[in-house]
């Protein structure tokens, strides 16, 4: 499949890896929007939240368990952080492979733009 994040998860395109397990790959965003900006993705190609099926529940659960571990490892769990996923055009999703942005180490505004 010609997908940037599938290739990153497979190690075919280099990335700055932060975490990996059976289901999940995480790496630093190439254009960080905060001092900590990690992208957490499933190894399986899923386009977005709108494309998740019942059978993907284990993968999605493991993504959030990975996010918790990554937040502790990077020291953002105490002060707080944000998890964001963009879905489709109105949200500005630019890479059509499900990804969760983990943003931290600065105060984050709400609501987002
Ligand atoms: P989104 O706009 O929600 O689809 O987020 C896509 C994110 O992927 C953006 O924050 C980009 O900076 C990031 N990105 C794109 N290409 C790469 C890459 N090769 N390595 C790391 N991050 C990337
Ligand atoms: Zn993909």
């Amino acid at each position: 499949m010609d997908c940037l994040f599938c290739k990153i998860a497979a190690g075919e395109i280099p990335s700055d890896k932060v975490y990996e397990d059976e289901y999940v790959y995480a790496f630093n965003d190439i254009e960080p929007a905060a001092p900590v900006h990690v992208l957490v993705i499933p190894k399986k190609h899923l386009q977005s939240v709108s494309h998740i099926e019942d059978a993907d529940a284990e993968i999605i659960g493991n993504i959030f368990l990975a996010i918790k571990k990554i937040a502790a490892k990077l020291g953002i769990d105490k002060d707080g952080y944000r998890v964001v996923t963009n879905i489709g055009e109105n949200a500005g999703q630019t890479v059509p492979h499900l990804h969760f942005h983990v943003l931290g180490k600065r105060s984050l505004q709400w609501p987002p733009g």
Side-chain angles (χ1 to χ4, degrees), residues 18-89:
V18 173
Y19 174 89
E20 182 174 13
D21 66 29
E22 183 184 347
Y23 298 101
V24 179
Y25 189 85
F27 54 105
N28 284 315
D29 196 293
I30 205 165
E31 267 185 69
V36 168
H37 187 171
V38 175
L39 298 175
V40 183
I41 68 173
K43 288 184 170 176
K44 177 183 174 182
H45 181 83
L46 295 165
Q47 186 173 324
S48 78
V49 168
S50 290
H51 298 77
I52 295 167
E53 310 277 358
D54 287 2
D56 299 316
E58 193 173 0
I59 295 173
I60 302 307
N62 276 278
I63 286 176
F64 280 92
L65 290 169
I67 288 171
K68 177 186 165 181
K69 288 177 202 159
I70 291 163
K73 180 175 161 183
L74 299 181
I76 55 173
D77 54 330
K78 302 285 188 296
D79 288 344
Y81 57 101
R82 184 169 293 160
V83 179
V84 179
T85 187
N86 293 317
I87 299 145
E89 194 179 337

Side-chain angles (χ1 to χ4, degrees), residues 1-7 42-46 96-98:
M1 166 155 327
D2 191 21
C3 168
L4 174 63
F5 285 0
C6 279
K7 287 180 179 165
K43 288 184 170 176
K44 177 183 174 182
H45 181 83
L46 295 165
H97 180 126
L98 177 65

